[in-house]
Amino acid sequence: MAKAVMKSARKPAAKPASKAAAKPAAKAAAKPAAKTASKAAAGKTAAKAKARQAKKPALTISMLKPSVNNMTVRVFARAAGLDHAETDAWGHTRSPEYMARNPAHLTPMIEDKGLPRGVLWESCAIMQYLSNKHGLEKFYPKAPAKRAMIDSAMFYLIGTLYPYVARATYPALGFPQYAGEVGHSDAHPDRKSEAQKAAVAAIAEPLEVFHSFFRDGKPFIGGKTPSIADIRLAATLEFLAVIDYALPKWASEYMAAMEKKLGKAYAGPAGDVRGYIAHVRSQAKA
């Protein structure tokens, strides 16, 4: 009996589960956790990708900072609160890539998926398109009569006032003159100077038309608030500083009112134009 007890006492206790047996169990338990972590990581990556896509502006503006034509669209995009990105096209407008999209090699140019050819240039056309697309009646009213006045003011500016401004200011700005202009020819410097002076003198008449006809006692062409025609006019008048043009009192007050009304939306792009003009004038004095 004692031997039986001793044998029983000496019998080793049951061995713990082997490591080999424990590993499959651990792996089996780890797989669901790994899959969950993997899915969570993939979800975060997808969320970040979507966030990047959401942040990417739908509208891209190719522009040149010293230009008032470009300033027009830059002011408008800011004032309208449009989500956009600007690309400085300085030195690239004649590149094969740019010309493939824009054979006119002009700025400003917008890129927008809704356009038949994907791009659009000409500042007034750009503002009209974006106003129509986003329902910005504040800047471009839908009422036919009101819209007609805005269109008329812009077309009159492009066809009459701006050519005078270009002839008067481009020589001082260092911008190339249009083909056929005296400034573009091999004419004697005296003739070029006379043509420039004639253009300066001609500015007063269309400028008065904007004051007496298009504004007609209103703060802006658009009435109480600036329209796209106002943005185009104010930007154009910025160039006249390069020749020390004596603006009539109403025009100076009008430009100040535009900047006050639009705030940083106007001041930022205008600052680029003014900075370029200041640089040109400093070079002329040197």
Side-chain angles (χ1 to χ4, degrees), residues 143-156:
K146 290 183 178 180
R147 175 167 287 198
M149 293 300 286
I150 301 301
D151 289 340
S152 178
M154 289 195 300
F155 299 157
Y156 181 65

Side-chain angles (χ1 to χ4, degrees), residues 7 82 102 148 179 263 267-268:
K7 284 182 180 178
L82 299 178
N102 180 344

Side-chain angles (χ1 to χ4, degrees), residues 28-283:
K31 280 183 180 178
K35 284 183 180 178
T36 302
S38 178
K39 286 181 180 179
K44 286 182 180 179
T45 303
K48 285 181 180 179
K50 285 183 179 179
R52 282 196 298 270
Q53 289 177 356
K55 288 180 180 178
K56 185 179 180 181
L59 180 68
T60 300
I61 304 173
S62 294
M63 54 82 196
L64 303 176
K65 290 183 178 181
S67 164
V68 294
N69 298 322
N70 289 260
M71 175 186 159
T72 299
V73 173
R74 296 178 71 205
V75 169
F76 172 76
R78 287 165 169 76
L82 299 178
D83 184 25
H84 69 284
E86 293 180 349
T87 300
D88 194 338
W90 189 269
H92 300 291
T93 57
R94 295 277 185 171
S95 68
E97 182 185 6
Y98 195 92
M99 293 281 285
R101 292 176 297 160
N102 180 344
H105 53 82
L106 294 173
T107 60
M109 177 186 77
I110 64 167
E111 297 173 65
D112 189 77
K113 292 180 180 179
L115 293 163
R117 300 298 299 273
V119 302
L120 179 68
W121 59 87
E122 295 296 347
S123 62
C124 293
I126 289 171
M127 291 191 295
Q128 289 170 317
Y129 166 72
L130 293 174
S131 293
N132 289 331
K133 179 178 180 178
H134 298 287
L136 301 171
E137 292 188 56
K138 174 183 176 181
F139 295 100
Y140 193 41
K142 282 188 177 180
K146 290 183 178 180
R147 175 167 287 198
M149 293 300 286
I150 301 301
D151 289 340
S152 178
M154 289 195 300
F155 299 157
Y156 181 65
L157 189 154
I158 295 168
T160 303
L161 177 60
Y162 192 76
Y164 291 151
V165 172
R167 291 170 191 154
T169 62
Y170 277 23
L173 289 163
F175 290 176
Q177 294 281 290
Y178 295 102
E181 298 283 352
V182 174
H184 185 268
S185 70
D186 293 327
H188 190 277
D190 289 346
R191 284 198 61 200
K192 292 183 180 182
S193 179
E194 288 172 7
Q196 184 181 10
K197 289 176 181 177
V200 172
I203 290 171
E205 183 178 310
L207 200 55
E208 177 57 28
V209 172
F210 280 100
H211 174 51
S212 61
F213 182 80
F214 289 113
R215 286 181 70 229
D216 188 27
K218 305 184 299 293
F220 307 101
I221 298 169
K224 293 182 179 179
T225 59
S227 66
I228 57 176
D230 289 290
I231 294 173
R232 188 66 183 85
L233 175 60
T236 298
L237 298 182
E238 289 284 346
F239 261 176
L240 293 175
V242 78
I243 57 171
D244 288 324
Y245 185 86
L247 286 170
K249 184 181 178 183
W250 75 263
S252 297
E253 293 174 347
Y254 168 77
M255 292 179 71
M258 282 288 292
E259 187 161 0
K260 183 177 180 180
K261 193 74 174 179
L262 299 180
K264 292 181 180 179
Y266 186 93
D272 289 327
V273 172
R274 292 166 187 169
Y276 180 73
I277 291 174
H279 169 72
V280 168
R281 295 185 64 171
S282 68
Q283 295 289 32

